[in-house]
Amino acid sequence: MLDRFIQQAVLQVLQADWDPTFSEASFGFRPGRSAHQAVERAQQHIASGHGFVVDLDLEKFFDRVNHDILMGLVAKRVADKRILKLIRGLLTAGVLADGLVSPTEEGTPQGGPLSPLLSNLMLDVLDKELEKRGHCFVRYADDCNIYVRSQKAGERVMASIEQFLTKRLKLKINKAKSAVAKPNVRKFLGFSFSSGLQPRRLIAPQAIARFKAKARELTGRMRGQSLPHVVGKLSRYLSGWRGYFGFCETPWLLRGLDGWIRRRLRALIWKQWKRGPHRVVELRRRGVGRDLAAQTASSPCGPWRLSSSPALNIALSNAYFTSLGLAPLASSTLLNPPNRRIRTRMYGGVGGAEP
């Protein structure tokens, strides 16, 4: 706790002095800057005609920061030798695991208050080099995208920057995760972009897959949890997810995910009702006609198939889930586009396929 307190004190003093000198294209771990601003800046570069992205992924950046290079950069900004000794001590303090202390000869301590500022100082060297070369780029922590106008230009930039990082900062590019490609096939901070003259912010397919995996976990039909408990945990997750990914420009996708979540809950409730007679009683109690309730309860179809049936949509309406406090992903004021069904297929049918 004392170490963290000291790091925070050093951070507050140094950040106020260093941050104004950092690049305008750097957005990670800086006051008044956010991931949304970084995504918006990337969108502007694409709209200006830079139709290819050099997507750089630094291999284990926080574990491989060279201490001598980093301290050299710090020494150019800090004259007080006591502070330099303190920062060096924080970098080389070691890691305690299983009762043994392992020395740290490179890297910055992850989770430490001072580490983000030191990483920005290290990568500011890259930022200044890109600015010197006149490139359009956006960097968020160790995630850097450079925008160019052609595939060949991107390949030249990739090779040149890889050489610069190796020689100047002793950092390596993860070639398996780095590439030169169209922005619509790469992701940046969980977002991708549509093609065309006016690119729109999309939620990356990988982020959709992670969202659905978490939602399946929270709405599992074999967990034996009460509905209010499930809805409460799910709503907390949906609110946080919407707070970040609601920045997208694809409201039809959010509405599709809302519908998919409600289907998951309808299937869960149907499973909890268990047997036919009880299901008929519950459906009738919620306004479903006698014949439709009996027909639905005797259906051989499984919970997922029946979750989209007329009876369950009547009994467990959208308003019912709203009354339980289920957090929506999409605003109810948004209009449905005419080609929603086609767009939904791009993401594997978020509203239709059995999860």
Side-chain angles (χ1 to χ4, degrees), residues 62-322:
F62 290 97
D63 295 330
R64 294 186 173 176
V65 169
N66 184 282
H67 289 173
D68 292 334
I69 294 176
L70 177 58
M71 289 307 303
L73 296 172
V74 174
K76 291 180 179 180
R77 295 170 178 256
V78 176
D80 192 325
K81 292 184 179 181
R82 295 171 299 173
I83 298 297
L84 294 176
K85 182 179 180 180
L86 175 62
I87 294 176
R88 171 73 78 167
L90 293 171
L91 291 174
T92 59
V95 177
L96 179 65
D98 299 326
L100 299 175
V101 177
S102 302
T104 50
E105 298 177 355
E106 60 181 3
T108 58
Q110 295 191 41
L114 194 57
S115 293
L117 179 63
L118 295 177
S119 67
N120 270 334
L121 177 64
M122 187 80 164
L123 290 177
D124 188 58
V125 177
L126 172 62
D127 296 342
K128 294 299 191 289
E129 179 66 19
L130 292 174
E131 289 178 347
K132 179 181 175 181
R133 299 184 185 189
H135 289 308
C136 295
F137 72 98
V138 182
R139 184 178 64 79
Y140 190 93
D142 60 334
D143 196 348
C144 183
N145 279 7
I146 307 169
Y147 294 90
V148 296
R149 296 183 183 273
S150 69
Q151 180 77 24
K152 288 186 177 181
E155 291 170 356
R156 289 195 300 269
V157 170
M158 174 71 83
S160 177
I161 294 301
E162 181 179 7
Q163 186 179 24
F164 173 81
L165 288 170
T166 302
K167 290 186 175 181
R168 179 67 177 85
L169 299 178
K170 299 188 184 303
L171 296 173
K172 292 183 179 181
I173 289 178
N174 188 332
K175 294 185 178 181
K177 295 183 179 180
S178 302
V180 179
K182 290 277 191 179
N184 62 330
V185 300
R186 303 296 295 179
K187 66 179 180 69
F188 181 56
L189 302 178
F191 292 89
S192 61
F193 303 93
S194 64
S195 55
L197 298 177
Q198 296 182 332
R200 290 176 301 160
R201 297 184 295 272
L202 312 175
I203 303 175
Q206 299 92 324
I208 294 292
R210 288 193 296 270
F211 169 84
K212 296 182 75 173
K214 182 63 176 180
R216 290 188 191 102
E217 177 187 338
L218 294 174
T219 59
R221 298 195 285 273
M222 304 299 291
R223 293 172 64 88
Q225 301 181 88
S226 68
L227 183 63
H229 180 72
V230 171
V231 170
K233 292 178 65 177
L234 182 61
S235 290
R236 287 191 290 273
Y237 174 68
L238 294 179
S239 296
W241 196 87
R242 180 188 59 193
Y244 184 75
F245 287 104
F247 186 61
C248 72
E249 296 176 314
T250 52
W252 49 267
L253 175 60
L254 298 180
R255 284 192 295 270
L257 289 172
D258 270 333
W260 181 79
I261 287 290
R262 289 190 292 267
R263 279 195 69 179
R264 293 280 311 177
L265 290 173
R266 291 186 182 108
L268 171 64
I269 296 170
W270 187 251
K271 185 75 173 179
Q272 290 179 346
W273 287 348
K274 294 184 178 179
R275 301 184 182 280
H278 181 59
R279 288 170 171 173
V280 172
V281 171
E282 291 291 347
L283 291 174
R284 294 284 291 130
R285 189 164 65 88
R286 288 169 167 78
V288 180
R290 185 191 306 273
D291 292 342
L292 181 58
Q295 180 183 0
T296 305
S298 61
S299 172
C301 297
W304 177 252
R305 178 70 66 86
L306 289 174
S307 64
S308 62
S309 66
L312 264 68
N313 275 274
I314 294 171
L316 305 171
S317 64
N318 296 354
Y320 170 72
F321 290 116
T322 301

